[in-house]
Amino acid sequence: MAERQGQTTPDALLTRIGQVVMLHHGGDREEARHRLLDLWTELGEDGDPLHRCTLAHYLADTHDDPTDELAWDLRALTAAKEHEGSVEVRALYPSLHLNLAADYVKLGRAEAARTHVRRARTAAVALRDDSYGDGVRAAISRMELRLGEGAAEWG
């Protein structure tokens, strides 16, 4: 969201991404993937890092092949690092690392998964005390248990 004269104005591309994500959540994974790829092409490799991070993050979820999913999640993390100072990106890091942990689990790479779930736990300090933050923290705890890491108590 862009801040303009004390009012928040919607970011048109993030709104379009959100509309496609709703399509994906509605069950049309293939169409969502095609539309997100069209947005990726429109945005280009030099597009805004927050937009590239968000797009890649959601694109990963539309792929069936864990290697493709990992590639998109890595693109999302790379874009996030280019936009590191923003509050929006700091709040995405826990989810980005959690998704990478899940990708590595699917690929049978448990140690890489453990590394990313630890990074997700560390990054979770940036999460708010709201339903999104609660959901991500719970997912981190579930992944820790799955990997035998033991879930730490949230402070």
Side-chain angles (χ1 to χ4, degrees):
M1 296 257 186
E3 199 75 276
R4 214 174 266 154
Q5 294 179 333
Q7 292 185 337
T8 303
T9 57
D11 180 315
L13 187 56
L14 291 178
T15 299
R16 290 169 63 199
I17 294 168
Q19 291 168 339
V20 178
V21 169
M22 289 190 302
L23 178 69
H24 177 228
H25 289 169
D28 199 342
R29 187 177 201 184
E30 187 173 334
E31 181 64 22
R33 179 174 50 250
H34 290 297
R35 289 187 188 189
L36 289 171
L37 285 169
D38 288 344
L39 289 173
W40 182 263
T41 300
E42 180 183 320
L43 181 60
E45 288 291 326
D46 295 325
D48 178 87
L50 177 60
H51 292 152
R52 286 187 298 116
C53 175
T54 304
L55 258 172
H57 187 52
Y58 287 118
L59 259 163
D61 293 338
T62 66
H63 284 80
D64 297 320
D65 183 319
T67 303
D68 293 336
E69 191 172 356
L70 174 62
W72 282 106
D73 280 328
L74 288 170
R75 282 184 190 104
L77 184 61
T78 298
K81 288 178 181 177
E82 295 172 24
H83 203 307
E84 215 164 289
S86 82
V87 173
E88 297 95 343
V89 171
R90 280 196 307 270
L92 282 175
Y93 270 109
S95 182
L96 293 171
H97 284 293
L98 182 61
N99 282 7
L100 284 163
D103 296 340
Y104 285 121
V105 165
K106 291 174 191 172
L107 292 167
R109 296 176 56 190
E111 197 49 48
R114 286 185 187 92
T115 296
H116 282 283
V117 80
R118 287 182 203 121
R119 289 178 183 165
R121 166 75 63 184
T122 300
V125 299
L127 294 172
R128 293 183 179 170
D129 249 353
D130 58 14
S131 60
Y132 173 77
D134 292 345
V136 173
R137 283 187 289 271
I140 292 169
S141 294
R142 287 190 303 272
M143 181 61 74
E144 287 172 329
L145 290 172
R146 182 175 182 183
L147 292 168
E149 289 287 288
E153 289 297 316
W154 293 100

PDB file of all heavy atoms in Angstrom, residues 71-87:
ATOM      1  N   ALA A  71      12.215 -23.262  -6.995  1.00  0.00           N
ATOM      2  CA  ALA A  71      12.791 -22.198  -7.826  1.00  0.00           C
ATOM      3  C   ALA A  71      12.033 -20.879  -7.635  1.00  0.00           C
ATOM      4  O   ALA A  71      12.648 -19.811  -7.492  1.00  0.00           O
ATOM      5  CB  ALA A  71      12.793 -22.612  -9.293  1.00  0.00           C
ATOM      6  N   TRP A  72      10.702 -20.950  -7.604  1.00  0.00           N
ATOM      7  CA  TRP A  72       9.915 -19.725  -7.410  1.00  0.00           C
ATOM      8  C   TRP A  72      10.067 -19.179  -5.994  1.00  0.00           C
ATOM      9  O   TRP A  72      10.144 -17.965  -5.793  1.00  0.00           O
ATOM     10  CB  TRP A  72       8.451 -19.962  -7.769  1.00  0.00           C
ATOM     11  CG  TRP A  72       8.251 -19.948  -9.247  1.00  0.00           C
ATOM     12  CD1 TRP A  72       8.027 -21.028 -10.062  1.00  0.00           C
ATOM     13  CD2 TRP A  72       8.302 -18.810 -10.113  1.00  0.00           C
ATOM     14  NE1 TRP A  72       7.937 -20.618 -11.367  1.00  0.00           N
ATOM     15  CE2 TRP A  72       8.098 -19.257 -11.430  1.00  0.00           C
ATOM     16  CE3 TRP A  72       8.499 -17.452  -9.900  1.00  0.00           C
ATOM     17  CZ2 TRP A  72       8.078 -18.395 -12.531  1.00  0.00           C
ATOM     18  CZ3 TRP A  72       8.486 -16.590 -10.990  1.00  0.00           C
ATOM     19  CH2 TRP A  72       8.282 -17.062 -12.279  1.00  0.00           C
ATOM     20  N   ASP A  73      10.119 -20.070  -4.997  1.00  0.00           N
ATOM     21  CA  ASP A  73      10.319 -19.594  -3.624  1.00  0.00           C
ATOM     22  C   ASP A  73      11.690 -18.944  -3.462  1.00  0.00           C
ATOM     23  O   ASP A  73      11.835 -17.956  -2.734  1.00  0.00           O
ATOM     24  CB  ASP A  73      10.121 -20.736  -2.622  1.00  0.00           C
ATOM     25  CG  ASP A  73       8.651 -21.003  -2.334  1.00  0.00           C
ATOM     26  OD1 ASP A  73       7.848 -20.050  -2.367  1.00  0.00           O
ATOM     27  OD2 ASP A  73       8.306 -22.168  -2.065  1.00  0.00           O
ATOM     28  N   LEU A  74      12.697 -19.471  -4.140  1.00  0.00           N
ATOM     29  CA  LEU A  74      14.028 -18.844  -4.101  1.00  0.00           C
ATOM     30  C   LEU A  74      14.007 -17.484  -4.791  1.00  0.00           C
ATOM     31  O   LEU A  74      14.654 -16.536  -4.329  1.00  0.00           O
ATOM     32  CB  LEU A  74      15.079 -19.766  -4.715  1.00  0.00           C
ATOM     33  CG  LEU A  74      15.433 -20.993  -3.871  1.00  0.00           C
ATOM     34  CD1 LEU A  74      16.300 -21.966  -4.666  1.00  0.00           C
ATOM     35  CD2 LEU A  74      16.116 -20.595  -2.569  1.00  0.00           C
ATOM     36  N   ARG A  75      13.254 -17.356  -5.889  1.00  0.00           N
ATOM     37  CA  ARG A  75      13.101 -16.042  -6.544  1.00  0.00           C
ATOM     38  C   ARG A  75      12.447 -15.048  -5.584  1.00  0.00           C
ATOM     39  O   ARG A  75      12.823 -13.873  -5.544  1.00  0.00           O
ATOM     40  CB  ARG A  75      12.252 -16.169  -7.802  1.00  0.00           C
ATOM     41  CG  ARG A  75      12.971 -16.717  -8.989  1.00  0.00           C
ATOM     42  CD  ARG A  75      12.053 -16.713 -10.226  1.00  0.00           C
ATOM     43  NE  ARG A  75      12.668 -17.445 -11.298  1.00  0.00           N
ATOM     44  CZ  ARG A  75      12.322 -18.676 -11.679  1.00  0.00           C
ATOM     45  NH1 ARG A  75      11.337 -19.314 -11.076  1.00  0.00           N
ATOM     46  NH2 ARG A  75      12.949 -19.267 -12.676  1.00  0.00           N
ATOM     47  N   ALA A  76      11.442 -15.527  -4.857  1.00  0.00           N
ATOM     48  CA  ALA A  76      10.757 -14.651  -3.899  1.00  0.00           C
ATOM     49  C   ALA A  76      11.727 -14.168  -2.826  1.00  0.00           C
ATOM     50  O   ALA A  76      11.744 -12.979  -2.475  1.00  0.00           O
ATOM     51  CB  ALA A  76       9.578 -15.386  -3.261  1.00  0.00           C
ATOM     52  N   LEU A  77      12.546 -15.064  -2.303  1.00  0.00           N
ATOM     53  CA  LEU A  77      13.512 -14.683  -1.273  1.00  0.00           C
ATOM     54  C   LEU A  77      14.543 -13.702  -1.831  1.00  0.00           C
ATOM     55  O   LEU A  77      14.888 -12.717  -1.165  1.00  0.00           O
ATOM     56  CB  LEU A  77      14.203 -15.925  -0.708  1.00  0.00           C
ATOM     57  CG  LEU A  77      15.161 -15.681   0.452  1.00  0.00           C
ATOM     58  CD1 LEU A  77      14.436 -15.078   1.656  1.00  0.00           C
ATOM     59  CD2 LEU A  77      15.839 -16.992   0.846  1.00  0.00           C
ATOM     60  N   THR A  78      15.004 -13.934  -3.033  1.00  0.00           N
ATOM     61  CA  THR A  78      15.965 -13.027  -3.662  1.00  0.00           C
ATOM     62  C   THR A  78      15.369 -11.630  -3.807  1.00  0.00           C
ATOM     63  O   THR A  78      16.014 -10.627  -3.484  1.00  0.00           O
ATOM     64  CB  THR A  78      16.403 -13.570  -5.038  1.00  0.00           C
ATOM     65  OG1 THR A  78      17.058 -14.820  -4.832  1.00  0.00           O
ATOM     66  CG2 THR A  78      17.338 -12.614  -5.749  1.00  0.00           C
ATOM     67  N   ALA A  79      14.136 -11.546  -4.274  1.00  0.00           N
ATOM     68  CA  ALA A  79      13.474 -10.246  -4.420  1.00  0.00           C
ATOM     69  C   ALA A  79      13.272  -9.590  -3.062  1.00  0.00           C
ATOM     70  O   ALA A  79      13.440  -8.372  -2.925  1.00  0.00           O
ATOM     71  CB  ALA A  79      12.142 -10.409  -5.145  1.00  0.00           C
ATOM     72  N   ALA A  80      12.949 -10.378  -2.050  1.00  0.00           N
ATOM     73  CA  ALA A  80      12.762  -9.823  -0.705  1.00  0.00           C
ATOM     74  C   ALA A  80      14.047  -9.179  -0.206  1.00  0.00           C
ATOM     75  O   ALA A  80      14.019  -8.113   0.415  1.00  0.00           O
ATOM     76  CB  ALA A  80      12.303 -10.917   0.253  1.00  0.00           C
ATOM     77  N   LYS A  81      15.166  -9.809  -0.490  1.00  0.00           N
ATOM     78  CA  LYS A  81      16.456  -9.264  -0.045  1.00  0.00           C
ATOM     79  C   LYS A  81      16.755  -7.926  -0.704  1.00  0.00           C
ATOM     80  O   LYS A  81      17.465  -7.104  -0.142  1.00  0.00           O
ATOM     81  CB  LYS A  81      17.565 -10.269  -0.319  1.00  0.00           C
ATOM     82  CG  LYS A  81      17.501 -11.462   0.603  1.00  0.00           C
ATOM     83  CD  LYS A  81      18.579 -12.474   0.290  1.00  0.00           C
ATOM     84  CE  LYS A  81      18.484 -13.665   1.220  1.00  0.00           C
ATOM     85  NZ  LYS A  81      19.476 -14.699   0.892  1.00  0.00           N
ATOM     86  N   GLU A  82      16.191  -7.692  -1.891  1.00  0.00           N
ATOM     87  CA  GLU A  82      16.380  -6.416  -2.584  1.00  0.00           C
ATOM     88  C   GLU A  82      15.505  -5.312  -1.987  1.00  0.00           C
ATOM     89  O   GLU A  82      15.693  -4.143  -2.295  1.00  0.00           O
ATOM     90  CB  GLU A  82      16.038  -6.566  -4.070  1.00  0.00           C
ATOM     91  CG  GLU A  82      16.964  -7.489  -4.823  1.00  0.00           C
ATOM     92  CD  GLU A  82      16.473  -7.760  -6.230  1.00  0.00           C
ATOM     93  OE1 GLU A  82      15.710  -6.941  -6.784  1.00  0.00           O
ATOM     94  OE2 GLU A  82      16.859  -8.809  -6.782  1.00  0.00           O
ATOM     95  N   HIS A  83      14.550  -5.678  -1.176  1.00  0.00           N
ATOM     96  CA  HIS A  83      13.588  -4.725  -0.608  1.00  0.00           C
ATOM     97  C   HIS A  83      13.568  -4.878   0.916  1.00  0.00           C
ATOM     98  O   HIS A  83      12.554  -4.661   1.565  1.00  0.00           O
ATOM     99  CB  HIS A  83      12.200  -5.013  -1.193  1.00  0.00           C
ATOM    100  CG  HIS A  83      11.257  -3.855  -1.157  1.00  0.00           C
ATOM    101  ND1 HIS A  83      10.968  -3.150  -0.023  1.00  0.00           N
ATOM    102  CD2 HIS A  83      10.536  -3.267  -2.143  1.00  0.00           C
ATOM    103  CE1 HIS A  83      10.096  -2.207  -0.285  1.00  0.00           C
ATOM    104  NE2 HIS A  83       9.819  -2.257  -1.570  1.00  0.00           N
ATOM    105  N   GLU A  84      14.697  -5.282   1.464  1.00  0.00           N
ATOM    106  CA  GLU A  84      14.798  -5.724   2.845  1.00  0.00           C
ATOM    107  C   GLU A  84      14.325  -4.736   3.900  1.00  0.00           C
ATOM    108  O   GLU A  84      13.807  -5.129   4.925  1.00  0.00           O
ATOM    109  CB  GLU A  84      16.251  -6.107   3.136  1.00  0.00           C
ATOM    110  CG  GLU A  84      16.367  -7.255   4.089  1.00  0.00           C
ATOM    111  CD  GLU A  84      17.744  -7.858   4.063  1.00  0.00           C
ATOM    112  OE1 GLU A  84      18.086  -8.513   3.068  1.00  0.00           O
ATOM    113  OE2 GLU A  84      18.472  -7.637   5.037  1.00  0.00           O
ATOM    114  N   GLY A  85      14.499  -3.464   3.673  1.00  0.00           N
ATOM    115  CA  GLY A  85      14.180  -2.490   4.703  1.00  0.00           C
ATOM    116  C   GLY A  85      12.706  -2.266   4.950  1.00  0.00           C
ATOM    117  O   GLY A  85      12.336  -1.682   5.955  1.00  0.00           O
ATOM    118  N   SER A  86      11.835  -2.740   4.088  1.00  0.00           N
ATOM    119  CA  SER A  86      10.421  -2.417   4.229  1.00  0.00           C
ATOM    120  C   SER A  86       9.731  -3.315   5.253  1.00  0.00           C
ATOM    121  O   SER A  86      10.068  -4.478   5.419  1.00  0.00           O
ATOM    122  CB  SER A  86       9.709  -2.517   2.877  1.00  0.00           C
ATOM    123  OG  SER A  86       9.381  -3.841   2.586  1.00  0.00           O
ATOM    124  N   VAL A  87       8.747  -2.740   5.903  1.00  0.00           N
ATOM    125  CA  VAL A  87       7.951  -3.465   6.894  1.00  0.00           C
ATOM    126  C   VAL A  87       7.219  -4.633   6.231  1.00  0.00           C
ATOM    127  O   VAL A  87       7.140  -5.730   6.787  1.00  0.00           O
ATOM    128  CB  VAL A  87       6.935  -2.506   7.561  1.00  0.00           C
ATOM    129  CG1 VAL A  87       5.971  -3.251   8.462  1.00  0.00           C
ATOM    130  CG2 VAL A  87       7.666  -1.428   8.332  1.00  0.00           C
TER     131      VAL A  87
END
